[in-house]
Amino acid sequence: DQQVKQNSPSLSVQEGRISILNCDYTNSMFDYFLWYKKYPAEGPTFLISISSIKDKNEDGRFTVFLNKSAKHLSLHIVPSQPGDSAVYFCAASARAGGTSYGKLTFGQGTILTVHP
Amino acid sequence: DGGITQSPKYLFRKEGQNVTLSCEQNLNHDAMYWYRQDPGQGLRLIYYSQIVNDFQKGDIAEGYSVSREKKESFPLTVTSAQKNPTAFYLCASSIAYVGEQFFGPGTRLTVL
């Protein structure tokens, strides 16, 4: 039962262009969403988060959009840089309660490659 | 420098042996977690601890055990009962049980 899905295993983008990474979820109890970036053989690094009371959160080149009715979130990176090449994981949590309370449920990850 | 340390970075063990992975944090975080990552998959929760002397099973706890005797430390033992122990193991911590989790560098365990 994959409650958080990243349907694109990989994405290739030219330097300077926009990267859009997508994530879908099925559990309606999820109300807090995070994006992590991971390099090979390293631990994930927290990038940005969004609460379900918002539909957008920005931090520098990174913007996360949340569409609650579609149970969909996306991470936009503008402009993309070669150093952004990594695996990106979305994660979801239920802060209000339920069986997913507090736990992070991760998607499978999307490998982003930014070409110079 | 505050952070999470995991040791060793690489670990090799023979089949049938128990092995303990270390995780230490000096962030003064209450909650700690263990995840496993397999190729092409996301992170799966093995065990978590909201507070010292307390821990709960995650989604794939079978074949693993943990302890939380100190706030700073959350060691994971991979027992011989774990059918496919070869994986990349990640430890994380957070200020409270609900919030951003910060990860250590990981330990790659290979069982020969």
Side-chain angles (χ1 to χ4, degrees):
Chain A
D1 175 25
Q2 192 86 32
Q3 296 188 66
V4 178
K5 290 185 184 179
Q6 293 175 256
N7 291 316
S8 298
S10 61
L11 175 67
S12 184
V13 168
Q14 206 67 31
E15 181 178 7
R17 307 293 291 267
I18 184 171
S19 296
I20 300 176
L21 298 120
N22 294 303
C23 181
D24 296 295
Y25 62 96
T26 57
N27 189 338
S28 56
M29 294 297 292
F30 288 150
D31 56 6
Y32 184 62
F33 305 89
L34 307 89
W35 283 95
Y36 284 86
K37 173 181 179 180
K38 185 182 180 301
Y39 293 115
E42 293 184 12
T45 303
F46 169 73
L47 271 178
I48 192 168
S49 63
I50 188 167
S51 165
S52 59
I53 62 172
K54 291 185 167 185
D55 54 18
K56 176 183 173 182
N57 189 26
E58 247 178 299
D59 184 1
R61 296 185 299 114
F62 302 92
T63 302
V64 56
F65 295 92
L66 175 63
N67 182 334
K68 290 186 289 293
S69 60
K71 292 192 175 69
H72 177 84
L73 65 153
S74 60
L75 175 68
H76 293 210
I77 306 173
V78 184
S80 301
Q81 299 172 355
D84 295 329
S85 297
V87 180
Y88 288 79
F89 290 98
C90 66
S93 177
R95 288 180 148 180
T99 57
S100 295
Y101 173 67
K103 295 191 283 186
L104 289 184
T105 301
F106 284 83
Q108 312 95 304
T110 296
I111 301 170
L112 173 65
T113 304
V114 180
H115 299 283
Chain B
D1 260 322
I4 303 173
T5 56
Q6 291 185 244
S7 59
K9 181 83 172 165
Y10 299 95
L11 191 53
F12 297 88
R13 277 296 181 267
K14 290 183 180 178
E15 197 171 336
Q17 287 183 333
N18 290 0
V19 60
T20 297
L21 281 60
S22 167
C23 177
E24 304 278 330
Q25 55 100 358
N26 60 5
L27 299 166
N28 200 32
H29 286 175
D30 283 319
M32 296 187 75
Y33 313 80
W34 273 105
Y35 292 89
R36 167 184 174 137
Q37 186 190 14
D38 294 284
Q41 295 195 35
L43 281 63
R44 293 184 291 167
L45 182 64
I46 304 172
Y47 266 97
Y48 61 98
S49 168
Q50 298 181 50
I51 199 164
V52 68
N53 290 323
D54 179 69
F55 52 83
Q56 308 291 334
K57 292 182 179 180
D59 301 317
I60 54 165
E62 186 176 347
Y64 300 98
S65 66
V66 293
S67 63
R68 185 85 188 278
E69 295 173 3
K70 296 188 298 182
K71 187 175 186 177
E72 306 77 30
S73 179
F74 192 40
L76 173 75
T77 297
V78 184
T79 75
S80 55
Q82 167 50 231
K83 301 268 188 279
N84 296 296
T86 294
F88 189 52
Y89 290 87
L90 287 156
C91 178
S93 70
S94 60
I95 293 173
Y97 184 46
V98 286
E100 291 84 7
Q101 294 179 18
F102 298 88
F103 286 82
T107 292
R108 179 161 299 282
L109 172 64
T110 303
V111 175
L112 307 169

